[in-house]
Amino acid sequence: MSGGAMYDDSSYDDASGGLLSLATRAAGLAGGPVTIEDDASELITYSPGQENSDDARIATILSRRVPDRYRTLLRTEHLDERLAGSSGPFYADLRGAGILPRAIMPIRAGDTAIGSIWAIVPSSPSPEQRAALEESAALLAPLLARQAERRLAADARRTAAVRALLRGGDEAVETARELPLGPGPLAVVAVRPLPSAPAPAPGPYDGLCDGPYGNPYGTPYDGTCAGPGGPPGDPLRRALADLDRRLSAFQPGGLGAEVDGVGYAVVPVGDEQRLLRAVGELPGMAAGVGRTVPGPGRLGRSRADAELVVRLLARLGATRERTAHIRDVQLDALLMRTVDLAVEAGHDPLGALAELEEYDRRRGTALLDSVDRYLAAGEDARLADRQLHVHPNTLRYRLRRAQEITGLDLSDPAAAFDIRLRLRLRALRLP
């Protein structure tokens, strides 16, 4: 066999059987077990048999994708760069990292990398092995390209359906009739990555494609279904897939997609506490759960709730839980809206405290934080100065100076309440 050999993919298709046949054939020609991955390191298929295997291959098969610890290694060894820039097979000796050597073959559709073949081989591939890998990649390319086209079409249908559901009203009711969506009660979950949060770890993807939009999140190992909304490596889409996997064990029938940079899932609500636990297990994500509504016509209200909660959690960052139901944060959510309205109108929600904040910024002092700590300590000066690690006289001076600057009397209950409220607004001021 030579690199210029003619090949014909007519005897293969991109269902699981055809892909398995190609993986088996590639393994036989390359002389070692093979995994075939897409461009996001998701497993498409693999050759049978585990002889001459290693932990990296086994972990990839079990999790249906290359685990994060190995993806990090790929970047460290610059294998991702070599894949992006190569048109032919290359050899990677990773035994120093406890991984058997691989012959790696990019799969391309024109100039676009759409996947790769990884064959465990004992040494640099021979000309015959290189030719076998090139031929296998040529056979796989049109199959993976067709999968990508179907995935894009399914993504567009899914996103359009989720958009319609989120708007609520008659359109949502009509759309729900065409979907494998639970009849209700329903709720909307909104998901956004937390700032500087690591990407969520993937879960195993099981389930089959069915219904007019396919399984909304499932990504079976043979690669014939896509994750929600696009490439499985995207953190939002992986988070939605993980959420569906967790929920489907006790309440199947949800539908999710990324819409305008936010992940949304419309989910049946049978056990609200289990729903909240499942949402709370999404690492690196701020997740808001809207009110439970009786049917799709009222999903617009649940969506508004979920968006408000996820905005609040993202704004607060690590200062509180990363997951919440609207009823648990309703007051803070309303305060956040008050802050936004004040800012839009050109007002500073801090009122008189804004001058104190500016004084601290210019002078490098901590008057506002001292007032905050004093009030949080129940106006117990001894407790506050211990928490601030300052002398009692220092705290008394700071409180007196703060009152002189703002004109607010800390001994007046109404003024103290006003300050507490504005200090809470301060935490919600930044977008």
Side-chain angles (χ1 to χ4, degrees):
M1 182 191 310
S2 67
M6 297 296 293
Y7 37 77
D8 176 15
D9 72 341
S10 61
S11 60
Y12 300 99
D13 59 42
D14 47 354
S16 58
L19 290 167
L20 178 61
S21 297
L22 272 175
T24 303
R25 182 177 186 274
L29 295 173
V34 159
T35 54
I36 298 172
E37 303 164 10
D38 68 11
D39 60 327
S41 296
E42 299 285 336
L43 181 67
I44 295 173
T45 189
Y46 59 95
S47 60
Q50 301 304 321
E51 300 82 5
N52 302 318
S53 191
D54 60 10
D55 288 342
R57 171 180 160 88
I58 293 171
T60 298
I61 291 171
L62 290 176
S63 62
R64 309 300 191 243
R65 69 183 306 276
V66 179
D68 287 346
R69 63 184 181 276
Y70 295 119
R71 286 166 60 88
T72 301
L73 176 65
L74 300 185
R75 290 190 293 270
T76 302
E77 297 292 332
H78 305 291
L79 296 183
D80 52 347
E81 297 175 11
R82 295 183 68 183
L83 268 172
S86 299
S87 57
F90 58 91
Y91 179 68
D93 189 345
L94 304 173
R95 282 173 288 196
I99 300 174
L100 294 174
R102 262 43 170 200
I104 306 168
M105 177 66 205
I107 303 173
R108 295 186 173 277
D111 294 332
T112 304
I114 58 175
S116 55
I117 303 171
W118 298 68
I120 296 179
V121 294
S123 58
S124 182
S126 66
E128 292 77 14
Q129 288 173 314
R130 293 176 60 89
L133 290 169
E134 289 170 350
E135 181 176 343
S136 297
L139 288 168
L140 282 160
L143 308 187
L144 299 192
R146 288 199 293 270
Q147 283 190 0
E149 291 173 1
R150 288 201 302 270
R151 183 173 66 215
L152 288 174
D155 292 345
R157 292 195 299 271
R158 180 183 297 108
T159 300
V162 171
R163 282 184 185 275
L165 291 172
L166 294 175
R167 285 192 285 267
D170 293 341
E171 182 183 11
V173 173
E174 191 65 29
T175 300
R177 293 194 184 109
E178 303 173 2
L179 298 171
L181 182 68
L186 302 167
V188 174
V189 178
V191 180
R192 287 174 58 180
L194 287 168
S196 304
Y205 297 102
D206 46 20
L208 302 173
C209 289
D210 51 18
Y213 298 96
N215 182 312
Y217 315 119
T219 304
Y221 73 87
D222 61 14
T224 57
C225 300
D234 182 279
L236 271 180
R237 292 156 184 162
R238 284 167 52 193
L240 288 173
D242 190 17
L243 177 61
D244 182 71
R245 179 180 61 83
R246 297 175 190 278
L247 293 178
S248 61
F250 63 92
Q251 194 71 45
L255 186 73
E258 180 183 347
V259 178
D260 300 329
V262 179
Y264 292 97
V266 178
V267 298
V269 181
D271 186 329
E272 195 172 82
Q273 291 306 309
R274 293 184 73 175
L275 168 62
L276 290 172
R277 284 197 297 272
V279 172
E281 291 169 353
L282 300 176
M285 292 285 152
V289 182
R291 74 187 75 179
T292 298
V293 295
R298 299 187 183 180
L299 280 170
R301 293 183 177 182
S302 187
R303 176 201 182 166
D305 290 344
E307 288 176 342
L308 200 58
V309 175
V310 81
R311 280 182 53 222
L312 173 67
L313 296 178
R315 187 173 292 191
L316 292 173
T319 62
R320 65 177 304 145
E321 294 296 324
R322 62 173 184 247
T323 301
H325 192 284
I326 181 62
R327 67 166 172 270
D328 298 323
V329 295
Q330 191 172 37
L331 180 58
D332 273 349
L334 291 174
L335 290 175
M336 182 180 67
R337 294 184 68 180
T338 300
V339 168
D340 293 342
L341 290 172
V343 171
E344 288 173 11
H347 302 301
D348 193 324
L350 281 186
L353 297 185
E355 187 177 353
L356 191 57
E357 186 178 57
E358 176 62 17
Y359 181 93
D360 282 337
R361 188 189 66 79
R362 287 187 286 105
R363 303 291 185 90
T365 54
L367 302 185
L368 186 55
D369 286 339
S370 296
V371 170
D372 189 359
R373 186 61 62 91
Y374 171 71
L375 293 176
E379 302 180 34
D380 184 334
R382 291 184 177 180
L383 175 60
D385 62 47
R386 287 199 301 270
Q387 292 175 342
L388 288 166
H389 305 291
V390 298
H391 192 276
N393 290 340
T394 301
L395 177 61
R396 282 193 288 271
Y397 167 78
R398 289 179 180 179
L399 296 178
R400 184 173 63 253
R401 187 74 184 107
Q403 291 183 101
E404 292 171 355
I405 293 170
T406 63
L408 297 172
D409 183 0
L410 293 177
S411 64
D412 179 1
F417 175 79
D418 181 89
I419 294 171
R420 286 193 184 98
L421 179 58
R422 293 185 186 278
L423 286 170
R424 188 61 195 154
L425 294 177
R426 181 192 185 204
L428 302 170
R429 185 172 52 172
L430 297 177

